[in-house]
Amino acid sequence: FPLLSHFLENVNIQEIFSSCYPSRDPKKMWKIAQMFRDYKFDQEIISHIPAWDVQRKHREGVLSHTLLFFISVTQDHRWKEAFSDKEKNLVLWMVLFHDIVKRGPPICKTRDPLHPFLSAAVTLESLIHMKVLSHCPEVDEVCEILRSSFSWLDHEIYGKVQIPDFSVLDHVHQLLDIILAGNEELKWIVLSVLHHQSVT
């Protein structure tokens, strides 16, 4: 993504973070999300990953979080000094996908515990759409499992919350081993998305 890459290489990190922290004012966070549109990152990404269009239209908080995640990672000294180009590429793809279908208020008033499962499914489908992964029957099976394996928790503050069913993970991992056989890079991306948030 040339536009996003150029931005990250030239970003004024002090200006960005002073505009939204420490207060995390929703109006300031909205400005961060608006940068995705002003710099046309959203159009660049959506041209390859259509699922990103949902975030662009409806989820300002998640959009701003993702851009801040990109900035935080690429400005860290360990990123600049210790990561190989290959490792950097893998991390950036993981950041791009990790919250791709995360729901925010008013749809979901919590951190959306189910979204790692849902985002992993969309990650697989997007990799196929981009023609870096071939479709096979196991893709349909694992995506159906990831989308349907949850229970409802009655939370005293947030009401009913969808909690992922971790009992399916052994089978999910077996299917991913088949789908991603011989491609450790894609496997790392998908597993990182799948496991990036703990329910606890």
Side-chain angles (χ1 to χ4, degrees), residues 84-197:
S84 68
D85 288 344
K86 179 179 178 180
E87 290 168 333
K88 290 177 179 178
N89 191 43
L90 290 175
V91 171
L92 290 177
W93 279 107
M94 185 278 289
V95 173
L96 187 66
F97 281 121
H98 83 287
D99 281 349
I100 192 167
V101 290
K102 184 176 183 178
R103 299 163 296 181
I107 299 171
C108 185
K109 298 179 181 178
T110 70
R111 296 172 64 199
D112 189 7
L114 188 60
H115 85 272
F117 274 32
L118 304 180
S119 292
V122 171
T123 299
L124 283 170
E125 293 167 344
S126 297
L127 293 173
I128 292 170
H129 176 81
M130 292 187 292
K131 303 186 186 307
V132 296
L133 180 66
S134 298
H135 182 270
C136 62
E138 288 81 6
V139 171
D140 297 330
E141 182 179 354
V142 77
C143 287
E144 173 60 25
I145 291 171
L146 290 170
R147 289 190 167 106
S148 62
S149 299
F150 63 87
S151 59
W152 289 97
L153 173 70
D154 286 317
H155 193 280
E156 61 183 15
I157 297 176
Y158 301 118
K160 288 188 175 294
V161 178
Q162 289 175 304
I163 302 295
D165 179 3
F166 292 117
S167 69
V168 304
L169 284 178
D170 283 345
H171 187 44
V172 166
H173 288 162
Q174 291 169 0
L175 292 170
L176 291 177
D177 284 341
I178 297 171
I179 296 165
L180 302 167
N183 199 322
E184 292 301 313
E185 290 85 1
L186 294 185
K187 186 174 182 179
W188 185 89
I189 292 170
V190 175
L191 289 177
S192 296
V193 172
L194 177 62
H195 293 293
H196 79 270
Q197 177 175 290

Side-chain angles (χ1 to χ4, degrees), residues 11-37:
V11 65
N12 184 330
I13 190 170
Q14 296 300 325
E15 179 182 346
I16 295 294
F17 280 94
S18 64
S19 70
C20 59
Y21 289 105
S23 65
R24 291 179 67 91
D25 183 310
K27 292 182 179 179
K28 293 180 179 180
M29 296 298 283
W30 178 85
K31 291 180 180 179
I32 300 297
Q34 185 62 33
M35 291 176 67
F36 252 104
R37 301 178 178 89

